[in-house]
Amino acid sequence: MKVILPKYKENGPRFPMEKRFVFVVFSLAIGVVQSVNAEVPAIFVLGDSTSDVGTNNYLPQSTIKANFPHHGVDFPFAIPTGRFSNGFNTADYLAKLFGFKKSPPPFFSQNVKFSIKIRKFRGINFSSAGSGLLGSTGQTTPLQKNVVTMGEQLLQFSTVHNDLLAFKGPLETEKFLSKSLFFISIGSNDIMNNYYSSNPIPKEYFIPKLGLVYEKHLRNLISLGARKFGIVSVPALGCCQSQRIYQANGECLEELNNQARAFFSTMKLLLGNLRLEYKDIKYSLGNTVDMTLNVIDNALAFNFKYVKTACCGSGTLNAQGSCTPISDLCSNRNEYLFWDSFHPTQTASKLAAFTLYGGEPRFVSPINFSQLPDA
């Protein structure tokens, strides 16, 4: 990636060294970037509501949906697509940075076989809002299909893999998938559900358990041909408005942030060990805890005026009710970090994508996402 940094005039504003990166990433987020990548034939996205682009719209019994206003108010033609956002989400902006118009479409909306046959297949988004690493996360009852779990998302990918084999053959399929990118953003719902359960498993046991399940899923993907992974770790969950409303002065719930930090440490060790075992895999791990806290601590440098209050909702901090057509809706959405009580605004998602794509090792390591195609 070639980054063009803004030129500083001798008599222009100066930034303290600790805020220099803040300014650089903000510059990236408003488009001061040129990228030159090896060709990425396809992008596959797995995860939860942070990257869902409409999967749950196809689940009739699901109660976790965003296919109604005010969601999508800033999306082209103000369409509520199922994204938990006022517009595009991080998966969309990452795809844009790699030359795609937006995230690949949901699995349920695609005729995969036909797309492969006419050579227009560029990937799939399997993400499902409310899902988690554990099969129980997000499911209300065994008979009600509320989400597509991570395990089920992998089963969906295996059907895509079989379709690729049928049309491309084993050698071309292996080459195609080895050059494709796999973005994964999941784990938040598992941690939140356990934390608020009537009998929570202690962090010291629960986070390693999630790590083992994550490792199993990654090994399955590797066995099916995935080689290049962009992993988005769990963000600073305690700073979501849904948690701030229960804290004095609307501060962050540090215990949840500590669990998110522990999850990141587990992922860092897990991925490092997998890299030792599978010499041909490449990965980039986003530290979204530090990314989130960096923005909150330097909000004005990122042009955010509101980091404690959600844009769409009701009640205290606009976080006591979910975003619905009758919710209070802010007009200056670019100045808000959070769209609703859990999810970032389009502006915040764009900033996150640019940081993952071109950020420094503090935020994304051992390489950033932009380096994955050439790695």
Side-chain angles (χ1 to χ4, degrees):
M1 183 188 80
K2 179 181 178 182
V3 177
I4 302 177
L5 300 181
K7 294 182 179 179
Y8 295 93
K9 295 181 180 179
E10 289 300 321
N11 59 350
R14 289 288 180 178
F15 294 87
M17 285 304 296
E18 66 270 15
K19 290 191 177 180
R20 192 67 51 84
F21 181 70
V22 172
F23 185 82
V24 171
V25 173
F26 175 70
S27 299
L28 291 175
I30 58 174
V32 190
V33 63
Q34 291 181 351
S35 60
V36 181
N37 287 306
E39 182 183 357
V40 176
I43 289 176
F44 298 95
V45 187
L46 302 96
D48 53 29
S49 58
T50 56
S51 51
D52 187 349
V53 294
T55 292
N56 286 15
N57 297 351
Y58 297 89
L59 304 178
Q61 294 179 311
S62 178
T63 59
I64 310 174
K65 294 182 179 180
N67 57 346
F68 50 83
H70 297 296
H71 298 294
V73 64
D74 296 311
F75 197 82
F77 305 106
I79 299 173
T81 60
R83 291 166 172 82
F84 286 77
S85 170
N86 56 307
F88 291 106
N89 63 25
T90 301
D92 291 305
Y93 283 115
L94 282 172
K96 286 172 181 279
L97 287 166
F98 287 101
F100 292 67
K101 292 182 179 180
K102 56 185 176 182
S103 165
F107 173 78
F108 291 124
S109 73
Q110 277 277 73
N111 185 331
V112 176
K113 292 180 180 179
F114 181 72
S115 297
I116 295 172
K117 187 175 182 179
I118 64 173
R119 298 185 178 277
K120 295 227 177 200
F121 181 73
R122 299 296 307 277
I124 294 282
N125 188 318
F126 303 95
S127 299
S128 174
S131 66
L133 291 160
L134 304 176
S136 58
T137 300
Q139 301 289 27
T140 52
T141 68
L143 298 178
Q144 181 177 349
K145 188 66 179 171
N146 211 33
V147 304
V148 180
T149 67
M150 185 65 168
E152 291 169 331
Q153 291 176 39
L154 263 69
L155 287 175
Q156 291 176 344
F157 175 70
S158 71
T159 68
V160 174
H161 177 262
N162 290 337
D163 291 337
L164 287 168
L165 284 174
F167 285 96
K168 290 178 175 290
L171 292 179
E172 192 175 344
T173 295
E174 180 182 357
K175 181 179 179 181
F176 180 85
L177 292 176
S178 69
K179 292 184 176 182
S180 297
L181 300 181
F182 290 77
F183 299 148
I184 307 176
S185 176
I186 202 163
S188 297
N189 294 318
D190 300 287
I191 292 174
M192 296 278 278
N193 286 5
N194 179 66
Y195 183 80
Y196 284 107
S197 70
S198 57
N199 188 27
I201 302 172
K203 175 183 68 176
E204 294 73 19
Y205 299 101
F206 187 68
I207 300 299
K209 176 182 177 180
L210 291 183
L212 290 173
V213 177
Y214 212 135
E215 179 181 352
K216 176 185 174 183
H217 292 322
L218 287 174
R219 287 183 182 276
N220 285 338
L221 282 170
I222 292 170
S223 71
L224 292 169
R227 290 297 180 270
K228 298 186 177 185
F229 298 93
I231 307 292
V232 183
S233 191
V234 169
L237 297 174
C239 294
C240 293
Q241 276 62 35
S242 60
Q243 309 310 305
R244 285 183 182 270
I245 58 175
Y246 301 113
Q247 306 306 305
N249 302 318
E251 297 304 315
C252 299
L253 176 57
E254 281 307 312
E255 174 54 31
L256 273 178
N257 285 351
N258 288 336
Q259 295 210 22
R261 292 186 183 98
F263 185 84
F264 171 77
S265 298
T266 297
M267 290 304 302
K268 188 174 182 179
L269 180 62
L270 184 164
L271 289 166
N273 289 337
L274 281 178
R275 179 69 178 87
L276 292 175
E277 183 176 347
Y278 299 95
K279 304 297 184 183
D280 58 342
I281 71 165
K282 307 294 179 185
Y283 72 89
S284 179
L285 174 62
N287 183 351
T288 45
V289 174
D290 282 357
M291 283 169 53
T292 305
L293 295 178
N294 181 53
V295 174
I296 291 173
D297 292 341
N298 300 284
L300 292 180
F302 290 98
N303 275 6
F304 288 118
K305 290 184 180 179
Y306 307 97
V307 297
K308 288 186 176 182
T309 304
C311 174
C312 184
S314 61
T316 305
L317 302 182
N318 235 14
Q320 289 182 300
S322 58
C323 183
T324 70
I326 60 172
S327 296
D328 295 329
L329 177 67
C330 69
S331 58
N332 48 341
R333 292 178 283 279
N334 290 340
E335 297 177 347
Y336 280 75
L337 179 62
F338 281 87
W339 165 240
D340 59 16
S341 60
F342 288 100
H343 305 97
T345 58
Q346 174 176 259
T347 300
S349 293
K350 183 176 184 181
L351 178 59
F354 272 91
T355 307
L356 292 167
Y357 184 83
E360 63 176 76
R362 172 187 169 191
F363 300 109
V364 56
S365 62
I367 58 177
N368 57 45
F369 282 33
S370 75
Q371 297 168 302
L372 283 171
D374 300 312

